Amino acid sequence: MAKLTRRGVMMLAGTLSVVGVAKAQNGRPATDTERWGLYEIALDGPAQGNPFVDVSLSAVFSHDGQTVHVPGFYDGDGVYRLRFSPESEGVWQWRTMSNAEALTGHEGVFTARPATGRNHGPVRVTADGYHFAYADGTPFRQIGTTAYAWAQQSDDQCDRTLATLKATPFNKIRMCLYANVKAEPIEPFAYSGADPKDWDPARFNPMFFRRFEARVAQLQALGIEADIILHHPYDKTHGYAEMARADDERYLRYMIARLGAYRNVWWSMANEFDLVKAKSSADWDHLGQFVADTDPHQRLRSIHNCKAFFDNRRPWVTHSSIQNGMSVKDDTRAEIYRSVWEKPVVFDEVCYEGRIDLRWGNLTAEELVSRFWHGLIAGTYVGHGEVLTGENLSADGGWTGVGGHLRGDSAPRLAFLKTVMEAGPKPGIDPIDKWWDRHIGGQAGQYYLHYFGDEAPSEWSLDLPKPGLAGGEQFRADLIDTWNMTVTPVPGVFTMQKKDGYDFHDPARPTITLPGKPWLAVRIQRV
Amino acid sequence: MAKLTRRGVMMLAGTLSVVGVAKAQNGRPATDTERWGLYEIALDGPAQGNPFVDVSLSAVFSHDGQTVHVPGFYDGDGVYRLRFSPESEGVWQWRTMSNAEALTGHEGVFTARPATGRNHGPVRVTADGYHFAYADGTPFRQIGTTAYAWAQQSDDQCDRTLATLKATPFNKIRMCLYANVKAEPIEPFAYSGADPKDWDPARFNPMFFRRFEARVAQLQALGIEADIILHHPYDKTHGYAEMARADDERYLRYMIARLGAYRNVWWSMANEFDLVKAKSSADWDHLGQFVADTDPHQRLRSIHNCKAFFDNRRPWVTHSSIQNGMSVKDDTRAEIYRSVWEKPVVFDEVCYEGRIDLRWGNLTAEELVSRFWHGLIAGTYVGHGEVLTGENLSADGGWTGVGGHLRGDSAPRLAFLKTVMEAGPKPGIDPIDKWWDRHIGGQAGQYYLHYFGDEAPSEWSLDLPKPGLAGGEQFRADLIDTWNMTVTPVPGVFTMQKKDGYDFHDPARPTITLPGKPWLAVRIQRV
């Protein structure tokens, strides 16, 4: 991968058509793109005044009765762009509208071809309401990580991060648009004005966004969702989180227009929203609804907390994005979030693997992996983080601050976990008999997963909750060592009979012998 | 207490002025009542047609710039009543409005005297948002119980229930308006029509409501809040939960007019709302908001779940009323409900003390009491129930079905718990360092309560989370045996010093010795 100098960003962008981005070539729009790919129209227009404010531009894309209104954006140097990702295969027509004569009334046609390779479309919430799947129906088994400011580091560091990601199970990464950590401060800023104290919220710096969107495209090529954090409370230099309402809306519109057509984009309204002094919950609610109303591609939307939860029942919130590591020490805790919000739950921050003397950064790998498993059997999802540098995150938080290399031991175990998830029920694992401390997730009648965490019993009663069972069903069991990454079949089958008013079991072999060590799970699958 | 025959209800009502109900005497309204007492105006009006539908009646009560619009109701036999509970002491003026000439334009004056005795006013949510207090500021430390159909049982059985309540710590009782259990079927029905299949939702049966409100008044005399369940899903005979929207609204308006002036009334929109097939969450939301808009006394409002939670962030919900017993096996679970809804949490149903073969009715007293303590240190409240009859609740659920005697062992321990609560911080106990598994509730810097549940350690590190501490503070500790109901002071004081980035302790005596048995708590109070 070429190093990302300013010129390099442009070069890189030119190469991205190989991963589904159909860009303008020689001043003419492309004639086709993949379904869920990125179709771009570039137009020359006015460069005088402030084009970010003075010029409105949008296009209508239509196909077979569908009509999508897509906002355009100004990319500097008199160039305007429109980006669209078609939901359906076939011929799409488009026509532009603008208050600038040079930009209005352009029209064209292109063909959305069938998706190829790893292009499964954008991730959406499944019909049952608690899981994720790509648009083509492939389950999305979320194994997230966080590297807040990786995208704003040097090109070398970004290359290291991407190489690391390529070798890990992570399929989503939380990343800030505005860097919150600077190991190697990188120009340019997001807005014009060389002086951080004298920036103009009405003049974006296209170079900054171009560099960022190249990262998003690189993630897309790796099959990784970019969970873009739009605001955070840590910026004492610029105060981007303290912009006025109109500036926030302009910023969000710009992000939606520039980045929303990348199918791997998710919108995170803020990191630790409750620490942003300048914005109330009502402000966040307004801005979240603004994104829902403005984004033609309807990317996933969430907002991440510190000590106070947002009302994740709000209509614009597609899934919860939670910080509270203690909730995934126990699946019964984790499940509560599903029941109260009735949406997918992602515990995006559950403390980090590390050895720093702050309690959010000193998890053992065993404990971090364990939180993923507890979350899994609760029907929820968990995120990884690592601060294995011995230093405070405000300087260089290791992976979770600035990306680069992983030094910990959790990632291989999360890759193993992912293989278990992928071999499990679609669209995902649900808690079974949720409010009775059964600690079993799966799909009633078909698939059961019990996780022991740090308990180390020498035997377990194979009792299955009655939903989905009538008696006579046969199951096989596997012993899963989640730390040593082994799956050991238990010989023979278990034939279920009613045990009492709540359970079924096999009276001939009511228990399974266990090796008496921690981090084990038992998987029971219908024969 | 006189037995409640039909005539007895009327006699009883006549005697209730002793507990703050100022009723009409000899056809003339009373000239005074206590603040938060019940002031009643009786008027003669039309008896023909259907007065429940044909006649509108309300009054405006005014005092010192306050104006309250109060709905009246028809009480049968040509008698109409208006009931009002004054929030402020002093002289109140009133004037009636009606579409019936005989009822409109009446006016009068009365004086609201200072409250006396156990009259502390209605219970409200405290300013911090998580606790309850009476209107005069006295904390309301909720120790609830449930006896669904006690009020519809025979007069003898009701007397037994009241005598039991008088000897217990319970200060709130959940009770249905429409009986859901009938050990001794009692006439009359709530609506006219002797045949259960041929009732008229537009014609209330005043005798039914008169009998019910006498129960509410009796509870008030005992200082017990009546948490009135307005609907439930168990009525297969009449189908009261399947009324049309207009009938529901008429019913709610009638309840508000008849019962809302009793200061001990709370409105529970439904028991197990999610099992009522005929009503959606949107229906409940409409009806809850209707009560909020209609009730001049703004009594507390909640809605109780079975397997799905209502959105307790909805503006009309004053507090959550939860069924999920597993949530109070662990304060960290219980706390989540506070954080997600930011309102008081009452775990009104956590399974019942009993020995039936259904899992919701087989708690030991130890386990039920333990759930109260876990809930307490989470900053939440818990409810009691008992089905110690050996029989299924659908026939006779013991106390929680039909009231009567308590047979279990939990009530004295809950009385002991209440003394601990009453000696604790106002308005209540909050979780301290809530998301770090500290299992400590209290008031930072002043008061700490740690509960061990079924763990039986022989020593405990007296580490206090840093909020509220600077070093040098002195504390005394008590060992509380929650089952044997003893408080044993630990000799001497503990002088706090910083231990690490998160804790303070006394390096001279960092631990407390414990007796190694379950159901213990440690209380630490500032000297």
Side-chain angles (χ1 to χ4, degrees):
Chain A
M1 187 65 71
K3 287 192 184 183
L4 284 174
T5 58
R6 293 190 190 200
R7 195 168 146 275
V9 173
M10 301 299 287
M11 291 170 57
L12 179 73
T15 69
L16 284 173
S17 56
V18 295
V19 294
V21 181
K23 315 257 305 189
Q25 300 290 341
N26 305 319
R28 300 186 62 83
T31 57
D32 65 355
T33 188
E34 286 192 7
R35 183 185 188 192
W36 305 308
L38 191 155
Y39 183 78
E40 181 177 294
I41 302 160
L43 298 168
D44 292 325
Q48 71 278 22
N50 183 354
F52 297 106
V53 172
D54 303 338
V55 178
S56 66
L57 171 63
S58 65
V60 175
F61 288 78
S62 48
H63 160 78
D64 198 16
Q66 291 176 59
T67 303
V68 186
H69 289 260
V70 175
F73 66 94
Y74 183 57
D75 197 22
D77 303 320
V79 177
Y80 293 76
R81 297 183 196 277
L82 290 143
R83 289 176 177 170
F84 174 62
S85 184
E87 286 289 323
S88 310
E89 292 174 24
V91 176
W92 287 83
Q93 295 183 298
W94 56 266
R95 182 179 172 84
T96 66
M97 291 166 289
S98 174
N99 62 352
E101 200 176 337
L103 298 172
T104 201
H106 294 266
E107 54 188 13
V109 170
F110 75 95
T111 300
R113 289 178 280 103
T116 63
R118 350 178 42 139
N119 176 4
H120 298 288
V123 174
R124 295 173 180 154
V125 174
T126 51
D128 65 287
Y130 293 103
H131 299 286
F132 300 102
Y134 295 98
D136 73 354
T138 306
F140 175 72
R141 322 276 192 169
Q142 199 269 179
I143 300 278
T145 188
T146 294
Y148 289 115
W150 82 270
Q152 295 83 13
Q153 303 307 310
S154 70
D155 297 345
D156 281 350
Q157 175 75 351
C158 287
D159 285 349
R160 279 192 288 274
T161 303
L162 290 162
T164 299
L165 286 171
K166 195 170 180 177
T168 65
F170 303 120
N171 54 17
K172 176 170 82 70
I173 186 165
R174 299 174 64 239
M175 52 195 279
C176 293
L177 181 81
Y178 305 127
N180 70 333
V181 188
K182 284 193 184 168
E184 310 168 44
I186 296 295
E187 288 273 17
F189 297 124
Y191 299 89
S192 66
D195 181 350
K197 302 289 184 205
D198 184 29
W199 55 279
D200 182 351
R203 288 182 185 270
F204 302 103
N205 184 347
M207 180 58 71
F208 173 90
F209 290 89
R210 217 171 286 147
R211 191 169 194 272
F212 187 83
E213 77 200 15
R215 306 298 179 214
V216 171
Q218 288 171 310
L219 291 172
Q220 181 180 301
L222 295 175
I224 297 172
E225 304 297 299
D227 198 355
I228 300 173
I229 297 168
L230 295 164
H231 274 303
H232 62 70
Y234 324 111
D235 162 27
K236 308 297 178 200
T237 309
H238 305 89
Y240 293 149
E242 293 153 33
M243 294 195 295
R245 172 67 58 87
D247 296 329
D248 276 326
E249 292 183 355
R250 188 187 310 105
Y251 160 55
L252 293 173
R253 207 181 293 113
Y254 196 74
M255 287 295 286
I256 287 165
R258 269 205 94 109
L259 281 144
Y262 290 89
R263 65 176 170 269
N264 62 325
V265 162
W266 300 24
W267 304 122
S268 174
M269 294 305 300
N271 206 53
E272 301 193 323
F273 80 93
D274 48 316
L275 299 190
V276 177
K277 296 278 188 293
K279 288 186 165 61
S280 67
S281 286
D283 290 329
W284 292 118
D285 197 42
H286 171 89
L287 296 174
Q289 188 61 48
F290 179 86
V291 172
D293 293 342
T294 307
D295 179 9
H297 297 99
Q298 290 296 302
R299 299 308 181 210
L300 294 171
R301 294 175 295 268
S302 69
I303 182 165
H304 187 69
N305 68 289
C306 180
K307 294 179 179 176
F309 293 125
F310 195 77
D311 178 4
N312 285 310
R313 284 242 196 185
R314 299 296 298 158
W316 63 265
V317 177
T318 56
H319 62 285
S320 62
S321 169
I322 301 305
Q323 176 172 194
N324 184 351
M326 290 297 146
S327 296
V328 278
K329 282 181 78 71
D330 165 17
D331 63 289
T332 305
R333 294 179 186 169
E335 189 286 327
I336 294 170
Y337 296 84
R338 278 177 49 123
S339 287
V340 297
W341 290 321
E342 299 184 341
K343 289 180 185 176
V345 174
V346 186
F347 292 98
D348 273 312
E349 213 178 337
V350 299
C351 301
Y352 306 136
E353 187 178 355
R355 288 189 280 277
I356 64 176
D357 63 357
L358 297 167
R359 58 187 177 179
W360 50 260
N362 61 15
L363 293 188
T364 62
E366 287 87 343
E367 177 61 27
L368 178 56
V369 172
S370 178
R371 293 181 182 198
F372 273 76
W373 280 85
H374 285 297
L376 175 65
I377 64 169
T380 66
Y381 298 93
V382 182
H384 159 274
E386 185 191 286
V387 285
L388 274 169
T389 62
E391 294 170 53
N392 190 310
L393 189 135
S394 66
D396 171 3
W399 171 261
T400 284
V402 296
H405 297 300
L406 281 169
R407 299 170 175 87
D409 297 314
S410 58
R413 278 79 188 185
L414 300 180
F416 173 74
L417 165 67
K418 198 177 182 189
T419 66
V420 173
M421 293 168 81
E422 286 171 347
K426 297 179 183 182
I429 283 174
D430 291 309
I432 294 179
D433 206 19
K434 64 180 179 176
W435 289 347
W436 294 95
D437 264 1
R438 309 296 297 244
H439 309 296
I440 295 176
Q443 199 172 69
Q446 298 298 325
Y447 178 105
Y448 301 85
L449 193 61
H450 176 82
Y451 177 60
F452 296 93
D454 57 7
E455 295 175 11
S458 57
E459 93 176 0
W460 183 63
S461 295
L462 200 167
D463 294 336
L464 299 182
K466 68 178 176 183
L469 298 175
E473 297 87 355
Q474 293 197 313
F475 291 87
R476 290 188 186 280
D478 295 305
L479 189 57
I480 299 177
D481 185 327
T482 69
W483 183 252
N484 293 307
M485 299 176 280
T486 60
V487 177
T488 310
V490 177
V493 298
F494 295 80
T495 304
M496 292 294 117
Q497 289 185 28
K498 185 173 177 177
K499 179 186 179 188
D500 56 32
Y502 297 102
D503 282 301
F504 280 67
H505 74 161
D506 182 346
R509 43 189 321 208
T511 62
I512 290 182
T513 301
L514 301 173
K517 58 182 185 176
W519 321 127
L520 297 178
V522 172
R523 178 173 63 187
I524 298 138
Q525 297 181 89
R526 186 84 169 262
V527 175
Chain B
M1 188 63 73
K3 287 191 183 181
L4 283 174
T5 58
R6 292 190 187 198
R7 195 170 145 271
V9 173
M10 302 300 287
M11 291 171 56
L12 179 74
T15 68
L16 284 174
S17 56
V18 297
V19 294
V21 181
K23 316 258 304 189
Q25 301 290 342
N26 305 321
R28 298 186 62 83
T31 57
D32 65 354
T33 189
E34 286 192 4
R35 182 185 189 192
W36 304 308
L38 190 155
Y39 182 79
E40 181 177 294
I41 302 159
L43 299 168
D44 293 324
Q48 71 278 19
N50 182 354
F52 296 107
V53 172
D54 303 337
V55 178
S56 66
L57 171 65
S58 65
V60 175
F61 287 78
S62 50
H63 160 78
D64 199 17
Q66 293 176 59
T67 303
V68 186
H69 289 260
V70 175
F73 66 93
Y74 182 57
D75 198 21
D77 303 321
V79 177
Y80 293 76
R81 297 185 196 278
L82 290 144
R83 290 176 176 170
F84 174 62
S85 184
E87 285 290 320
S88 309
E89 292 173 24
V91 176
W92 286 82
Q93 295 183 298
W94 56 267
R95 182 177 173 84
T96 66
M97 291 165 289
S98 175
N99 62 352
E101 201 177 337
L103 299 171
T104 201
H106 294 267
E107 55 188 16
V109 171
F110 74 95
T111 301
R113 291 178 278 105
T116 63
R118 332 173 64 132
N119 176 4
H120 299 289
V123 173
R124 294 172 181 156
V125 175
T126 52
D128 66 288
Y130 294 103
H131 299 287
F132 300 103
Y134 295 99
D136 74 353
T138 306
F140 174 73
R141 321 276 192 170
Q142 198 269 180
I143 299 278
T145 188
T146 294
Y148 288 114
W150 82 271
Q152 295 84 13
Q153 303 306 308
S154 70
D155 296 347
D156 281 351
Q157 175 74 352
C158 286
D159 284 350
R160 280 191 288 273
T161 303
L162 290 162
T164 299
L165 285 171
K166 196 170 180 176
T168 64
F170 303 119
N171 53 17
K172 176 170 82 71
I173 186 166
R174 299 173 63 237
M175 53 196 277
C176 294
L177 180 80
Y178 305 127
N180 70 332
V181 188
K182 284 192 183 168
E184 311 168 44
I186 296 294
E187 288 273 15
F189 297 125
Y191 299 89
S192 65
D195 181 350
K197 302 289 183 205
D198 184 30
W199 56 279
D200 182 352
R203 289 184 185 269
F204 301 104
N205 184 347
M207 179 59 69
F208 174 90
F209 290 89
R210 217 171 285 147
R211 190 169 194 271
F212 186 83
E213 77 200 16
R215 307 297 179 215
V216 171
Q218 289 171 309
L219 291 172
Q220 183 180 302
L222 294 175
I224 297 172
E225 304 297 300
D227 198 355
I228 300 173
I229 297 168
L230 295 164
H231 274 304
H232 62 71
Y234 324 112
D235 163 25
K236 309 297 178 201
T237 308
H238 303 90
Y240 293 149
E242 293 152 32
M243 294 195 294
R245 173 68 57 87
D247 295 330
D248 275 326
E249 292 184 355
R250 187 186 311 106
Y251 159 57
L252 293 173
R253 207 181 292 113
Y254 196 74
M255 288 296 286
I256 287 164
R258 269 206 93 109
L259 281 144
Y262 290 89
R263 65 175 170 269
N264 61 326
V265 162
W266 300 24
W267 305 122
S268 174
M269 294 305 300
N271 207 53
E272 301 193 323
F273 80 93
D274 48 317
L275 299 192
V276 177
K277 296 278 187 294
K279 287 186 165 61
S280 67
S281 287
D283 290 328
W284 292 118
D285 197 43
H286 171 89
L287 295 174
Q289 189 60 48
F290 179 87
V291 172
D293 293 341
T294 307
D295 179 8
H297 297 99
Q298 290 296 303
R299 300 306 181 213
L300 294 171
R301 295 175 295 268
S302 69
I303 183 165
H304 187 69
N305 69 289
C306 180
K307 294 181 178 174
F309 293 125
F310 195 77
D311 179 3
N312 285 309
R313 285 241 194 184
R314 298 296 298 157
W316 63 265
V317 177
T318 56
H319 63 285
S320 62
S321 168
I322 300 305
Q323 175 172 193
N324 184 351
M326 290 297 146
S327 297
V328 278
K329 283 182 76 71
D330 165 16
D331 63 289
T332 305
R333 293 179 187 170
E335 190 287 327
I336 295 170
Y337 297 83
R338 277 177 50 123
S339 287
V340 297
W341 290 320
E342 298 184 342
K343 290 182 184 175
V345 175
V346 186
F347 292 99
D348 273 311
E349 211 178 338
V350 299
C351 301
Y352 306 135
E353 187 178 357
R355 287 188 283 276
I356 64 176
D357 63 356
L358 297 169
R359 59 187 178 181
W360 49 260
N362 60 14
L363 294 188
T364 62
E366 286 87 342
E367 177 62 26
L368 178 56
V369 172
S370 177
R371 293 181 183 197
F372 274 76
W373 280 86
H374 285 297
L376 175 64
I377 63 168
T380 67
Y381 298 93
V382 182
H384 159 273
E386 185 191 286
V387 285
L388 274 169
T389 61
E391 293 170 51
N392 191 309
L393 190 134
S394 64
D396 170 5
W399 171 262
T400 284
V402 296
H405 298 300
L406 281 169
R407 299 171 175 86
D409 297 315
S410 58
R413 278 79 187 186
L414 300 179
F416 173 74
L417 165 67
K418 199 177 181 187
T419 66
V420 173
M421 292 167 82
E422 286 170 348
K426 297 179 183 182
I429 283 174
D430 291 309
I432 294 179
D433 205 19
K434 64 179 179 177
W435 288 347
W436 294 94
D437 264 0
R438 310 296 295 242
H439 309 296
I440 295 175
Q443 199 170 68
Q446 298 298 325
Y447 178 105
Y448 302 85
L449 193 62
H450 176 83
Y451 177 60
F452 295 95
D454 57 6
E455 295 174 12
S458 56
E459 101 178 350
W460 183 64
S461 295
L462 201 166
D463 294 337
L464 299 182
K466 68 179 177 184
L469 298 175
E473 297 87 355
Q474 293 196 314
F475 291 87
R476 290 189 187 279
D478 296 305
L479 189 57
I480 299 177
D481 184 327
T482 69
W483 184 252
N484 294 306
M485 299 177 279
T486 60
V487 177
T488 308
V490 177
V493 299
F494 296 80
T495 304
M496 293 293 117
Q497 289 186 27
K498 184 174 177 176
K499 180 186 178 186
D500 54 33
Y502 297 102
D503 282 300
F504 280 68
H505 74 160
D506 183 345
R509 44 190 319 212
T511 63
I512 291 182
T513 302
L514 299 173
K517 58 182 186 176
W519 320 128
L520 296 178
V522 172
R523 179 173 63 187
I524 300 138
Q525 296 180 89
R526 186 82 168 263
V527 176

